[in-house]
Amino acid sequence: MLTNDGDIVNEILRAENEHEKEYIVKVDMPVTDSFLKKMAEGVEILDTVTLPAKAEKLSKFTFRLTIRQGLNRQIRRMCQALGYEVRNLQRVRIMNIHLGDLPVGEWRDLSDSERNELFTELDYKPKR
């Protein structure tokens, strides 16, 4: 998301606010059921254990991960702690905002319904 409103960015991305962020992750080794289970249950990084997440295998080397934290380089660190290296990482959703099929280098405005739902969920009053 691109905005000049730092308050809303902080509200969305701050780890303690636990808003969902969804990623498609490609790694260097085959994704196993054991790896997905560990990613979902929480991984020890940065002197803490990550919150439970949703992990789903998409292909041999790719999985979807939905987290509610935003620790520094969290997904890369989680994978590394389990012996994997991230080859590609793409955030495809923040809360109710989906990237969809937006081409690289392009942008779009939020729809009125996306904006209203986002602000309602955040209990946020935009500055005018």
Side-chain angles (χ1 to χ4, degrees):
M1 285 181 35
L2 177 65
T3 179
N4 63 353
D5 187 341
D7 292 337
I8 195 167
V9 170
N10 289 334
E11 179 65 30
I12 291 169
L13 296 180
R14 224 178 255 136
E16 61 268 16
N17 292 335
E18 297 188 12
H19 297 301
E20 281 194 348
K21 292 162 279 292
E22 182 177 325
Y23 299 83
I24 304 297
V25 187
K26 184 174 183 180
V27 290
D28 64 333
M29 298 188 308
V31 174
T32 65
D33 290 341
S34 173
F35 170 76
L36 289 176
K37 185 175 189 289
K38 290 173 185 171
M39 291 293 284
E41 290 175 347
V43 177
E44 188 172 336
I45 60 169
L46 301 173
D47 298 322
T48 190
V49 176
T50 60
L51 293 176
K54 297 175 194 166
E56 172 190 6
K57 183 175 181 174
L58 299 177
S59 70
K60 186 174 182 178
F61 294 96
T62 306
F63 67 101
R64 177 186 320 274
L65 187 69
T66 305
I67 61 174
R68 294 179 291 124
Q69 284 174 295
L71 301 175
N72 182 265
R73 299 175 54 85
Q74 178 174 341
I75 295 170
R76 292 181 189 278
R77 290 175 193 268
M78 290 171 72
C79 289
Q80 183 178 30
L82 299 176
Y84 285 71
E85 182 180 326
V86 172
R87 297 286 190 205
N88 190 29
L89 179 64
Q90 180 182 27
R91 183 165 34 205
V92 295
R93 179 175 65 87
I94 299 174
M95 298 173 66
N96 67 304
I97 311 299
H98 294 262
L99 181 62
D101 58 1
L102 191 66
V104 173
E106 296 294 317
W107 63 275
R108 69 172 179 84
D109 290 324
L110 295 180
S111 69
D112 289 341
S113 63
E114 285 174 325
R115 190 178 309 103
N116 291 339
E117 184 179 340
L118 179 68
F119 290 168
T120 298
E121 189 169 334
L122 294 174
D123 191 28
Y124 182 77
K125 311 262 186 299
K127 297 173 185 171
R128 296 285 172 175

